[in-house]
Amino acid sequence: QSVLTQPPSASGTPGQRVTISCSGSSSNIGSKTVNWYQQLPGTAPKLLIYSKNQRPSGVPDRFSGSKSGTSASLAISGLQSEDEADYYCAAWDDSLNGCVFGSGTKVTVL
Amino acid sequence: EVQLVESGGGLVQPGRSLRLSCAASGFIFDDYAMHWVRQAPGKGLEWVSSISWNSDTIYYADSVKGRFTISRDNAKNSLFLQMNSLRAEDTALYYCASSESLHGYFDYWGQGTLVTVSS
């Protein structure tokens, strides 16, 4: 059972906006930065969003992150077929002294 | 170009040991903290262990504490994971990843090496 809670799935049609939630606690999301990773089918995870809504070079600005209290969310605007992937939130946890990942959300483009 | 290449995975019997390696290139290895993250077949990501740039600070997930040992050789740009007393539940694809700070985001990932624990 993951420390961070994500919905198992999300979907949308091309061009729609999809939002993925990530719920944690005061020892992780509440006090640490939240990072998001994208894992395309059959590939290694890739950093998608880090720190305060920063995107690594090459990540489209359709992806954005936000945080409020002990919850965070990832938004994908203008959904595209290549966005079909698993998405994971993650944060350092001061109580566990380790990184904690969300359970992952599979995004399907209808 | 940053590259992280894991090796050392394979099929091993329960209770036995295995040592994973991660060869790094394309960046200044001893400027970065390093991590191991695993993914069981069809499951999500699970953090395993982290080591600071100078090996002074090391963390382990409770699920592997006392059985796994992380280490690094900055002269050889290499990261290691010594896995002892392996269990069926350790079966997973093991990724190494880098980060600028020990508690920070994982900016680069390898392609993973598969460990299968089975009799």
Side-chain angles (χ1 to χ4, degrees):
Chain A
Q1 193 164 350
S2 302
V3 173
L4 305 182
T5 302
Q6 297 179 235
S9 63
S11 62
T13 56
Q16 275 191 328
R17 176 184 171 92
V18 169
T19 302
I20 300 168
S21 61
C22 175
S23 177
S25 67
S26 58
S27 63
N28 43 67
I29 294 178
S31 56
K32 301 295 182 184
T33 57
V34 179
N35 307 305
W36 290 90
Y37 300 91
Q38 179 192 56
Q39 187 174 33
L40 296 168
T43 70
K46 181 187 86 167
L47 179 64
L48 190 67
I49 297 286
Y50 66 98
S51 298
K52 293 182 180 178
N53 194 26
Q54 300 299 303
R55 291 181 306 278
S57 174
V59 173
D61 58 7
R62 303 184 289 103
F63 294 93
S64 62
S66 63
K67 187 180 92 166
S68 178
T70 59
S71 294
S73 62
L74 173 72
I76 310 174
S77 59
L79 191 65
Q80 298 184 8
S81 57
E82 58 259 38
D83 298 334
E84 278 208 341
D86 294 322
Y87 293 85
Y88 295 90
C89 58
W92 192 263
D93 190 298
D94 279 336
S95 295
L96 298 175
N97 265 334
C99 177
V100 289
F101 283 95
S103 44
T105 298
K106 182 177 184 62
V107 169
T108 301
V109 181
L110 302 171
Chain B
E1 179 195 5
V2 171
Q3 277 201 315
L4 296 172
V5 180
E6 303 92 338
S7 60
L11 174 62
V12 62
Q13 293 179 327
R16 304 298 288 266
S17 299
L18 209 58
R19 189 189 196 214
L20 306 184
S21 300
C22 172
S25 61
F27 64 105
I28 302 174
F29 184 70
D30 52 11
D31 275 353
Y32 283 74
M34 296 296 296
H35 315 267
W36 289 99
V37 176
R38 68 185 180 183
Q39 186 169 34
K43 302 296 183 182
L45 301 175
E46 180 190 15
W47 169 77
V48 173
S49 182
S50 298
I51 185 169
S52 62
W53 69 274
N54 60 359
S55 304
D56 272 2
T57 305
I58 288 174
Y59 300 111
Y60 296 101
D62 286 345
S63 57
V64 307
K65 201 172 293 182
R67 300 187 300 122
F68 290 11
T69 302
I70 191 172
S71 62
R72 63 190 295 163
D73 184 340
N74 287 345
K76 295 183 178 179
N77 289 352
S78 295
L79 174 72
F80 306 100
L81 187 67
Q82 177 67 41
M83 304 186 296
N84 299 332
S85 304
L86 282 162
R87 307 167 179 166
E89 53 265 36
D90 295 319
T91 294
L93 188 59
Y94 284 73
Y95 296 103
C96 68
S98 62
S99 66
E100 292 183 355
S101 66
L102 186 56
H103 299 178
Y105 51 89
F106 301 162
D107 49 7
Y108 294 102
W109 297 65
Q111 288 305 301
T113 186
L114 182 62
V115 173
T116 303
V117 184
S118 174
S119 54

